Amino acid sequence: MIDLRSDTVTRPTDAMRKAMASAEVGDDVFGEDPTVNRLEATVADLLGKEDGLYVPSGVMANQIGIALHTRPGDEVIVDRSSHIFNYETGGPSAISGIQLHPIDSPEGLLSPDLVEQAVRPAFDVFPRSRLLSIENTANKAGGRVYSVEQIEEIASLARAHDMALHLDGARLWNAAVALGVPEATLAGPFDTAWVALSKGLGAPVGSVLVGPSELMAEARRLRKRLGGGMRQAGIIAAGGLYAVQHHRGHLADDHARAQSLADAIASLPTFTLDVSTVETNIIIFETVKQSAENVLAELKENDIQMTAFGPNTIRATTHRDVDDAAIRRVIAVLRRLYS
Ligand SMILES: *Cc1c(COP(=O)(O)O)cnc(C)c1O
């Protein structure tokens, strides 16, 4: 099976498993797991922040980020297509008692104008706009990337309105590769940011939330409250550390494979896709005449999996467990079925 449903399906390699098996460990709730500490310091350094916190999932990183910056009744501005608004079980209202203010942006990327329109005036009847959260890359926008200039513009607008800034950087590694800039440059304007180890990087578990030491001390408390305090977590953290050190450099291959797959999809009459929207490892395309469900069933009969993002919308995600030969096979099958 060639699995293009998500980059979360990546499995640890033998070398990563060896690193995990031999990891030095301790009780991380006491702050005594040297591997976790090394992972947190490594990622904090790469993102240019004081401290890091290893968390079991990206969802927990987002929920801690929101809880850190808000009080009940506050409002958090996000894109309508964001993970926080769509896929986190209503966590922000259940956990932090805030309300989300989802913005409809034409391409799934926020702009300063749209944020400006969403910020609440300072008047008793309104909730307080306290936090702006951005995804880079933006998943439902097709892995699109915010440039350094776009981020800085949006960030200075948020600052002017006294709002905190949180970065959902599940795929910040991909954004950095696509733009050819360090992760720290992209994380710079944000108070808190996190990156996933368990997506394109190929580690089995976890994300790292980063920010200033004072906020991260509070984040550590919140992680405990959510049940995310782990003991000899160095075993899994070692997989993350290995991925950061050895897999980060290979993400450009995933992007090149997404480009060649996108070119093939765009050339077929059954699909519509603007290849210029494919900037990283995610391809979102439309089916013409056939339903997405139909296409996915036909592909599955040919040992290929992608995922539906709407009745006529399909997402394909490249990752390190799908090599050039696999991409060539996917292209051959698509041409045979849909030319
Ligand atoms: C995957 C993802 C998350 C959540 O990460 P999990 O580790 O699956 O909880 C959050 N935001 C974005 C943009 C994601 O792609």
Side-chain angles (χ1 to χ4, degrees), residues 6-8 55-62 81-84 87-88 134-140 168-171 194 196-199 205-207 282 315:
S6 175
D7 45 11
T8 54
V55 288
S57 69
V59 169
M60 192 183 287
N62 275 335
S81 67
S82 64
H83 199 279
I84 287 177
Y87 306 124
E88 303 198 2
I134 287 179
E135 272 176 35
N136 204 10
T137 67
N139 174 25
K140 287 194 94 172
D168 175 340
R171 297 186 181 84
W194 65 272
L197 307 164
S198 60
K199 296 199 167 169
V205 185
S207 289
I282 296 175
R315 186 187 77 169

Side-chain angles (χ1 to χ4, degrees), residues 264-288:
I265 290 168
S267 73
L268 296 170
T270 315
F271 308 117
T272 54
L273 168 63
D274 175 359
V275 291
S276 73
T277 63
V278 181
E279 297 177 344
T280 56
N281 67 327
I282 296 175
I283 306 164
I284 295 182
F285 58 101
E286 307 294 321
T287 58
V288 187

Side-chain angles (χ1 to χ4, degrees), residues 96-270:
S96 296
I98 60 95
Q99 74 183 16
L100 293 172
H101 187 153
I103 299 184
D104 287 304
S105 57
E107 297 182 304
L109 294 178
L110 296 176
S111 65
D113 280 354
L114 291 170
V115 173
E116 179 89 70
Q117 287 165 30
V119 176
R120 304 287 189 165
F123 184 57
D124 278 354
V125 300
F126 295 115
R128 280 198 189 94
S129 303
R130 270 302 301 147
L131 175 68
L132 172 67
S133 175
I134 287 179
E135 272 176 35
N136 204 10
T137 67
N139 174 25
K140 287 194 94 172
R144 299 280 301 273
V145 178
Y146 285 94
S147 69
V148 178
E149 296 72 32
Q150 281 171 309
I151 289 169
E152 281 172 355
E153 240 184 289
I154 294 174
S156 62
L157 183 95
R159 297 271 177 241
H161 289 285
D162 225 11
M163 294 169 70
L165 286 147
H166 174 76
L167 172 62
D168 175 340
R171 297 186 181 84
L172 188 70
W173 310 116
N174 299 84
V177 166
L179 295 170
V181 300
E183 290 83 359
T185 305
L186 296 173
F190 296 88
D191 299 291
T192 48
W194 65 272
V195 280
L197 307 164
S198 60
K199 296 199 167 169
L201 280 200
V205 185
S207 289
V208 180
L209 177 70
V210 300
S213 302
E214 206 181 321
L215 277 183
M216 287 303 103
E218 182 60 17
R220 182 169 277 275
R221 274 181 62 78
L222 292 168
R223 181 185 66 174
K224 189 68 182 158
R225 177 177 294 167
L226 295 174
M230 298 178 283
R231 302 296 178 176
Q232 284 71 38
I235 298 279
I236 48 176
L241 195 55
Y242 185 92
V244 171
Q245 288 163 345
H246 298 277
H247 294 174
R248 200 159 56 94
H250 297 177
L251 292 173
D253 298 341
D254 298 344
H255 298 183
R257 288 177 189 129
Q259 280 296 326
S260 59
L261 182 54
D263 287 341
I265 290 168
S267 73
L268 296 170
T270 315

